Amino acid sequence: MARPKTIHIDRKKVIDETIKILEHHGLEGFNLRKLAHNLAAHPSSVYHYFDGRASILSAAAGHVLREIEVPQPNDDWQEWAVDVTMNYWKTLARRPFVIPILLAGYEPATEVRARLGAMMDGVGIDPDRQVEINRAVEACVFGFVMEYAAKGAGDARAAEVKSDQTAAMLRKILTFIFAGLPDLNAAG
């Protein structure tokens, strides 16, 4: 199908509307027809910016993941990694619709992944081991997001107390995971 000559939408609008649809209907409720309808555009207009559904979903997930606060690294890289991962959890807890996108294999490159990878490279962790570590950390984060979402239903005060407990438990687990890795200061 030929691309339209006049485009009445832009890349940001497509991403923003995709996120709205995902927030309200989940991954199962997302399709290009619905997206185009919400944008008041022809479905082919979306292809001006994206190759298809996969690239739209990847862009939307990447947009959300760029919301993660990434503090400046400090002398204790394990503590920094725990802090970054806790911020990852907080972002996904606010926008859990991203998890099925990531699990479906749409993995946008993000600053968080790049900086964690660079830190692990710096302490001599081989790339295969980094993949294992990333999987373990993501499994913890995804599981805790699901627990947080389940506890969020019902009594708001009870959910707030339980979310504090959830955050404390996740921090302990992440500290344990990262503490077992090489010390950045000793690696040089």
Side-chain angles (χ1 to χ4, degrees):
M1 183 181 297
R3 294 180 188 233
K5 292 180 174 126
T6 306
I7 305 300
H8 300 288
I9 58 175
D10 62 37
R11 182 178 173 82
K12 183 170 177 1
K13 285 181 185 176
V14 173
I15 292 170
D16 290 345
E17 192 58 41
T18 297
I19 290 170
K20 285 180 191 174
I21 292 170
L22 291 167
E23 284 178 327
H24 291 96
H25 304 286
L27 186 57
E28 311 79 35
F30 176 80
N31 62 60
L32 293 178
R33 227 177 277 165
K34 182 182 288 186
L35 175 62
H37 171 50
N38 289 5
L39 291 167
H42 191 274
S44 62
S45 296
V46 174
Y47 291 109
H48 182 77
Y49 300 101
F50 299 96
D51 293 332
R53 184 176 194 267
S55 63
I56 295 169
L57 291 172
S58 183
H63 182 80
V64 169
L65 294 178
R66 280 187 284 285
E67 295 173 2
I68 299 169
E69 182 183 332
V70 181
Q72 289 299 316
N74 59 38
D75 291 337
D76 185 344
W77 87 269
Q78 288 107 333
E79 179 184 318
W80 175 86
V82 169
D83 290 343
V84 169
T85 306
M86 290 300 296
N87 291 344
Y88 182 43
W89 170 71
K90 290 173 189 173
T91 299
L92 291 181
R94 283 191 312 271
R95 297 184 183 250
F97 66 84
V98 173
I99 292 174
I101 296 170
L102 297 174
L103 290 174
Y106 307 121
E107 297 193 22
T110 63
E111 180 184 5
V112 170
R113 286 181 186 221
R115 288 175 82 179
L116 280 172
M119 285 289 202
M120 288 192 275
D121 284 341
V123 296
I125 299 172
D126 71 84
D128 290 337
R129 181 89 168 125
Q130 288 183 34
V131 170
E132 293 172 11
I133 293 164
N134 285 331
R135 284 185 182 148
V137 168
E138 285 200 336
C140 286
V141 170
F142 292 177
F144 274 81
V145 168
M146 294 296 111
E147 179 187 31
Y148 178 81
K151 289 179 179 176
D155 179 20
R157 178 64 189 133
E160 184 179 318
V161 169
K162 289 178 182 175
S163 71
D164 290 343
Q165 293 167 347
T166 299
M169 180 58 73
L170 178 59
R171 181 171 285 282
K172 284 180 185 177
I173 291 170
L174 293 171
T175 299
F176 178 78
I177 290 171
F178 287 113
L181 300 176
D183 183 2
L184 183 63
N185 296 325

